[in-house]
Amino acid sequence: MPTRQEVDERGDAALAAAWFAGSEAALRQAWVRYGTLVHTFCVRSLADRELAADCTQETFISAWRSRQRFDPERGSLGAWLLGIARYRVLDAYRAQTRTPTPEAAADENAVDESDTEGLLVERLLVADALEALAERPRQVVELAFYSGLSQSEIAATLALPLGTVKSDMRRALHRLRHVLEGGDTDG
Amino acid sequence: MAEHEPPVDEPELAELRQLGQRLQPRDVTWEEPPARLWDRIAAATREPEPAAGETEAPPSVPAPTPITSAPRRRRAWLAGALAAAAALIVAVFVTVIRQDDQNVVAEVALDQLEGGGSGRAELIEGRDGQLLLRVDTEGLEPGDGYLELWMIDPSVTRLVSLGHLRAGGVYDVPAGVTPADFPIVDISAEPVDGDPTHSGRSLLRGQLPL
């Protein structure tokens, strides 16, 4: 099974198109590409592993059944899937409310707060997109994210021409903006 | 984390830094979904397969449809649908063909996308060389509208209407339409709104192996 990292940006676009086309293989590809993304969202949002597994399963099934509502022009398939997963999480919350458990109530991840959910969606989408980048642009973006270095300092740190650092950043930013579109995110 | 002044002359860096600080994506620990989930998803989204017992391996799926072009704008899709309306006008009515006059070029069981119907499609070459599409369906619900038959290209940006669906219908493939370019057979539910474009509500769909 290919890893998520092996699916590059062009692969994501092809997958989005195949998904929209309703190719049955696209469901399998989407599972390989985004199963971990969706499942991580469900696990972090719901206190219970079984509920999270149901959430992941139902997200893919309902996403497939309404796949024609996905518009590759309007955003990424990952963001769209997480938008559906948010509804599945809300359903699970409602079911939990009927039978509240102390564990669920005590788990801060189980708090139904759309800001928390939206932030989690964005965090996962960006982390996922980062892992899908090739090694060099990924290093550039990680330094941009966390180091506080300027572009020329990043270039010096990675022993890269400044122009490479700049174009990597431009491309990565374009990619991240696209990735964050199309879901029910708050960004 | 270092807190330098935002580099105003480096807007891309500034935006990336803001994104990283706000979202902290490096804190993410991934959760692999249990393998059994795929089996359930596959089972729920496909017609039932013969019982194969417990298996860890995912059910085999056909090779992905090659997508040669990037997804086009929705408008292009609609423009294609409008062009299909012209094809509708030239679509020729039923030609009754006899078993011994035909040669089945390709056939496909149509996947159920919405509703409870089922169906299959056969591409047939008549003795005169005319290509025909024979479509048999069962249990389709047109709702308040009607059902329409389409041939669609693999990237789902171009489509040709073969007209409204008829019981036991055989449809001429319009001259000039190469089935290999439009291998996806699609049956949609169309509202009676005078709009000749595809409604987006596909009930059945399958790809002819061409």
Side-chain angles (χ1 to χ4, degrees):
Chain A
M1 185 187 294
T3 65
R4 288 175 298 135
Q5 287 84 351
E6 284 164 22
V7 184
D8 64 6
E9 186 176 332
R10 186 165 302 173
D12 278 358
L15 171 55
W19 173 274
F20 183 67
S23 150
E24 199 178 301
L27 175 60
R28 174 68 184 161
Q29 287 177 287
W31 173 251
V32 171
R33 175 66 184 83
Y34 295 115
T36 298
L37 175 71
V38 169
H39 191 57
T40 303
F41 174 78
C42 292
V43 168
R44 298 282 171 265
S45 300
L46 297 164
D48 181 293
R49 290 251 160 198
E50 275 307 306
L51 285 179
D54 288 347
C55 169
T56 302
Q57 178 183 328
E58 290 306 314
T59 296
F60 274 86
I61 292 169
S62 63
W64 184 247
R65 288 184 178 152
S66 57
R67 61 190 170 280
Q68 290 189 321
R69 290 194 205 132
F70 169 65
D71 184 348
E73 288 295 312
R74 282 179 48 202
S76 69
L77 184 54
W80 187 74
L81 288 170
L82 288 191
I84 291 169
R86 288 183 75 170
Y87 284 107
R88 298 284 78 81
V89 165
L90 282 176
D91 287 348
Y93 282 150
R94 288 193 199 105
Q96 275 185 327
T97 311
R98 287 199 292 275
T99 53
T101 62
E103 290 80 7
D107 189 330
E108 63 172 22
N109 285 334
V111 174
D112 182 1
E113 196 179 292
S114 62
D115 274 347
T116 313
E117 298 286 315
L119 196 66
L120 176 61
V121 164
E122 290 185 274
R123 171 179 297 148
L124 295 178
L125 286 172
V126 168
D128 176 81
L130 210 55
E131 293 194 12
L133 289 177
E135 187 173 356
R136 189 197 71 212
R138 189 170 69 241
Q139 288 176 336
V140 168
V141 171
E142 283 175 347
L143 284 177
F145 273 1
Y146 309 122
S147 74
L149 298 175
S150 69
Q151 285 183 331
S152 48
E153 288 167 333
I154 289 172
T157 302
L158 297 175
L160 292 170
L162 181 57
T164 303
V165 168
K166 285 183 174 178
S167 64
D168 278 352
M169 280 190 192
R170 230 178 353 257
R171 269 202 295 271
L173 200 54
H174 180 78
R175 176 82 192 132
L176 290 175
R177 284 186 190 133
H178 173 74
V179 156
L180 288 171
E181 285 169 2
D184 190 15
T185 56
D186 300 321
Chain B
M1 74 185 76
E3 286 295 343
H4 289 191
E5 281 295 303
V8 287
D9 56 333
E10 298 180 343
E12 277 112 5
L13 175 59
E15 189 173 342
L16 283 172
R17 187 178 297 172
Q18 194 263 343
L19 209 55
Q21 299 298 321
R22 185 167 67 85
L23 298 178
Q24 295 295 323
R26 67 178 152 186
D27 292 348
V28 168
T29 309
W30 295 112
E31 303 281 347
E32 292 290 330
R36 63 188 154 84
L37 290 190
W38 168 251
D39 295 344
R40 293 187 195 163
I41 292 164
T45 52
R46 260 209 297 270
E47 57 230 19
E49 291 186 332
E54 283 298 312
T55 169
E56 280 295 293
S60 65
V61 293
T65 306
I67 300 296
T68 50
S69 62
R72 291 186 213 169
R73 302 175 62 85
R74 174 58 60 98
R75 293 228 170 266
W77 192 87
L78 289 173
L82 274 173
L88 187 148
I89 294 163
V90 298
V92 186
F93 275 0
V94 184
T95 306
V96 178
I97 53 169
R98 292 181 299 277
Q99 288 289 333
D100 56 356
D101 276 350
Q102 65 194 35
N103 166 33
V104 176
V105 179
E107 56 189 316
V108 62
L110 302 177
D111 291 330
Q112 176 186 319
L113 301 189
E114 194 183 318
S118 61
R120 58 181 303 104
E122 289 177 347
L123 181 68
I124 299 162
E125 187 173 8
R127 187 179 282 170
D128 55 1
Q130 169 68 48
L131 287 170
L132 305 160
L133 198 62
R134 177 161 60 204
V135 177
D136 292 313
T137 61
E138 234 171 58
L140 287 180
E141 285 293 334
D144 292 334
Y146 59 97
L147 301 167
E148 189 162 354
L149 177 65
W150 306 83
M151 295 178 77
I152 309 181
D153 82 326
S155 64
V156 197
T157 52
R158 298 184 298 143
L159 58 171
V160 175
S161 172
L162 297 192
H164 72 275
L165 198 74
R166 302 178 299 274
V170 179
Y171 305 79
D172 279 20
V173 176
V177 172
T178 306
D181 293 340
F182 297 87
I184 297 170
V185 177
D186 178 284
I187 295 169
S188 67
E190 298 291 332
V192 187
D193 57 3
D195 181 349
T197 63
H198 193 294
S199 65
R201 281 190 60 216
S202 293
L203 304 185
L204 297 178
R205 186 179 282 182
Q207 182 163 351
L208 291 164
L210 295 169

